[in-house]
Amino acid sequence: MSAGGTGQPEADRGDAGGIRTALAGLTTRGRSFLAAGIAAAICAYVLGQSDLLRVGLLLAVLPLICATVLYRTRYRVAGTRRLSPARVPAGSEARVHLRMDNVSRLPTGLLMLQDRVPYVLGPRPRFVLDRVEPGGSREVSYRVRSDLRGRYPLGPLQLRLTDPFGMCELTRSFSAYDTLTVVPRVDPLAPVRFSGEAKGYGDGRQRSLALAGEDDVIPRGYRHGDDLRRVHWRSTARYGELMVRREEQPRRSRCTVLLDTRAIGYEGAGPDSAFEWAVSGAASALVHMLERGFSVRLLTDSGSAVPGEGGDGFAGTGQETADAAGLMMDTLAVIDHSDGTGLSRAYDVLRGGNEGLLIAFLGDLDEEQAATVAKMSRRSGGAVAFLLDPDTWVREPTDVPRPGGRHEDRLRLLREAGWTALSVPRGAALNGLWQQADRERSGLATVSGEAPV
């Protein structure tokens, strides 16, 4: 048997251990027949009964013949697997489609198909396939579901062959496998304004050269179809070729989503833990801001940014945005606690320039880290922080109280530094906090004399 495009299975190798492999595949029935045949042959020899010897030989030879025939069987079977979808949110189901094609000129016998899946995705699926005619195929499917995000390998496929008498079973394995990516759950968020940052384009942001808008003094070469009224005659005389004035359009507004992954900032584990809430919140904010037309990037406490190569590190337009969104969601699917103790590396990345809107999901902060976060708002067009309340997220209540009012002190410090800081209790809905942040941000804008868009 060969797996389509995956090479020859290990069970088909013609090595010296072939006989041992075939005998190891004997079922309980086959071993019982073999033992009974040997016992009958010994008794026939001792008692001198030739008829009993014939019976013993038949019982012993039958499972050996079945094992030999089954081991020598060479089915050429191609197996394919298709995931629908290949990236699924935590708590949702994905369907796995399996297809087996008989590419040989001989029909197959009874086959049992088995796919390897991690235990978190559910029980291992098994299917019994009837005789597959030459050139025929069989399709089966099963569902997988995980409440834990991550990347899970599916496969390789295994085929278990058995003889008509049930004396022997052998397993043939394919070598190919696929990967199911379980991304964080994304909650839909209501459109908000965050003090004039309602749209991803314009709104007083910087402008970049493109194909529509006001005139720019930097000329470019004439292109077929350009309006002759935009010819820049001074540059044309200087360069000796026809030059036209460039035009510009608004640049997409930027948004940085900061995720605090420090292990010391969170307590508990599992799908309902504080850290998983923060990861899900970051994913929801990323998707929402991309849908609003923002150029978005994901930043962690370790200073790593996604996307982080090429351009200015923010999601581009069109297909670049889709690719960057997939990359950020794949990153969040496998992100784990960091060993760091501070947020200074993230601050170093942010202080390089005006990064537009800053949305932060933070764990428990000590006084030093709260001061570091407070300084991050200086280079942003708006700063919104969701600070998880450690006293409500612990799994078991403790008799030792935390320093009185420490969480409230951190919130007060961030608000005084210009943050719209909200406390996140256990079980809080992100969308409700999201709208509350918008109301508080609008109130700050009114007090400071800014007019919301």
Side-chain angles (χ1 to χ4, degrees):
M1 182 194 318
S2 64
T6 62
Q8 191 174 17
E10 292 183 3
D12 285 340
R13 295 174 182 173
D15 52 17
I19 298 178
R20 292 193 300 270
T21 301
L23 295 178
L26 290 176
T27 62
T28 301
R29 179 185 299 177
R31 295 175 187 272
S32 300
F33 267 66
L34 182 60
I38 294 175
I42 293 176
C43 292
Y45 177 76
V46 173
L47 300 176
Q49 297 291 329
S50 59
D51 292 337
L52 182 59
L53 179 61
R54 296 188 186 95
V55 174
L57 291 177
L58 176 62
L59 293 176
V61 170
L62 180 59
L64 296 178
I65 293 177
C66 291
T68 302
V69 172
L70 189 62
Y71 180 76
R72 294 297 180 183
T73 300
R74 292 295 185 269
Y75 295 140
R76 297 185 61 223
V77 180
T80 58
R81 182 190 299 102
R82 179 172 57 86
L83 304 181
S84 178
R87 183 187 289 116
V88 62
S92 301
E93 290 185 343
R95 182 172 289 274
V96 184
H97 302 269
L98 304 176
R99 178 186 174 95
M100 301 301 299
D101 295 283
N102 183 10
V103 296
S104 66
R105 297 181 180 179
L106 298 176
T108 69
L110 189 67
L111 304 176
M112 188 176 81
L113 179 64
Q114 177 177 277
D115 204 8
R116 291 183 179 179
V117 300
Y119 72 94
V120 296
L121 297 182
R124 181 172 295 183
R126 294 181 174 90
F127 306 93
V128 177
L129 304 181
D130 294 331
R131 175 180 177 272
V132 183
E133 65 279 3
S137 64
R138 297 289 186 271
E139 293 186 10
V140 294
S141 65
Y142 64 93
R143 294 183 178 182
V144 291
R145 179 181 182 273
S146 175
D147 293 326
L148 299 175
R149 56 188 175 79
R151 292 173 61 87
Y152 301 102
L154 300 179
L157 282 170
Q158 291 182 332
L159 281 179
R160 183 174 296 177
L161 310 178
T162 183
D163 64 279
F165 301 102
M167 298 288 182
C168 183
E169 288 184 353
L170 293 180
T171 300
R172 303 286 198 264
S173 296
F174 295 82
S175 59
Y177 68 92
D178 294 282
T179 301
L180 174 68
T181 302
V182 180
V183 300
R185 185 182 66 255
V186 175
D187 297 323
L189 302 178
V192 297
R193 296 192 173 183
F194 285 153
S195 181
E197 295 288 352
K199 300 179 180 179
Y201 296 92
D203 301 331
R205 311 301 297 169
Q206 299 179 7
R207 307 177 72 86
S208 62
L209 300 177
L211 299 178
E214 301 175 359
D215 294 343
D216 189 272
V217 297
I218 303 178
R220 62 169 174 81
Y222 174 82
R223 298 172 186 170
H224 179 72
D226 286 338
D227 190 347
L228 293 178
R229 291 176 295 180
R230 308 195 67 84
V231 173
H232 195 268
W233 297 109
R234 182 179 300 177
S235 297
T236 299
R238 178 179 179 181
Y239 293 103
E241 60 177 319
L242 201 59
M243 305 292 288
V244 297
R245 290 170 291 182
R246 292 191 185 185
E247 298 169 340
E248 61 181 4
Q249 70 176 9
R251 176 178 294 177
R252 301 177 73 196
S253 298
R254 294 177 172 181
C255 175
T256 298
V257 177
L258 172 62
L259 175 61
D260 179 12
T261 64
R262 297 171 302 125
I264 62 174
Y266 301 92
E267 297 186 32
D272 297 327
S273 64
F275 181 66
E276 292 302 321
W277 190 97
V279 173
S280 177
S284 302
L286 286 170
V287 172
H288 177 78
M289 301 310 291
L290 284 171
E291 291 176 348
R292 298 286 292 172
F294 280 72
S295 292
V296 183
R297 72 173 173 182
L298 171 67
L299 179 65
T300 65
D301 57 287
S302 62
S304 60
V306 181
E309 297 181 1
D312 52 10
F314 286 83
T317 58
Q319 185 60 37
E320 293 180 2
T321 298
D323 294 341
L327 181 59
M328 288 186 285
M329 295 301 291
D330 289 345
T331 301
L332 290 176
V334 297
I335 200 168
D336 201 355
H337 290 295
S338 68
D339 298 329
T341 59
L343 297 161
S344 57
R345 293 183 179 178
Y347 172 69
D348 292 339
V349 175
L350 291 171
R351 70 178 180 178
N354 192 333
E355 303 298 342
L357 181 63
L358 175 59
I359 303 174
F361 294 85
L362 305 170
D364 189 21
L365 301 176
D366 57 22
E367 185 176 357
E368 179 183 356
Q369 302 314 318
T372 301
V373 174
K375 294 186 295 183
M376 293 181 182
S377 63
R378 299 175 183 174
R379 303 294 294 177
S380 64
V384 180
F386 298 93
L387 184 61
L388 279 74
D389 186 356
D391 294 328
T392 63
W393 281 95
V394 292
R395 287 187 172 275
E396 298 180 0
T398 176
D399 296 333
V400 181
R402 295 176 180 268
R406 191 176 80 169
H407 181 68
E408 289 72 18
D409 292 341
R410 306 296 181 257
L411 289 171
R412 187 181 306 110
L413 176 62
L414 296 183
R415 289 166 181 167
E416 291 175 352
W419 283 83
T420 302
L422 280 75
S423 176
V424 181
R426 183 180 181 86
L430 177 60
N431 189 40
L433 295 174
W434 186 261
Q435 297 182 61
Q436 180 183 348
D438 176 46
R439 291 192 296 269
E440 294 190 9
R441 186 71 188 173
S442 299
L444 289 176
T446 304
V447 171
S448 62
E450 299 177 9
V453 176

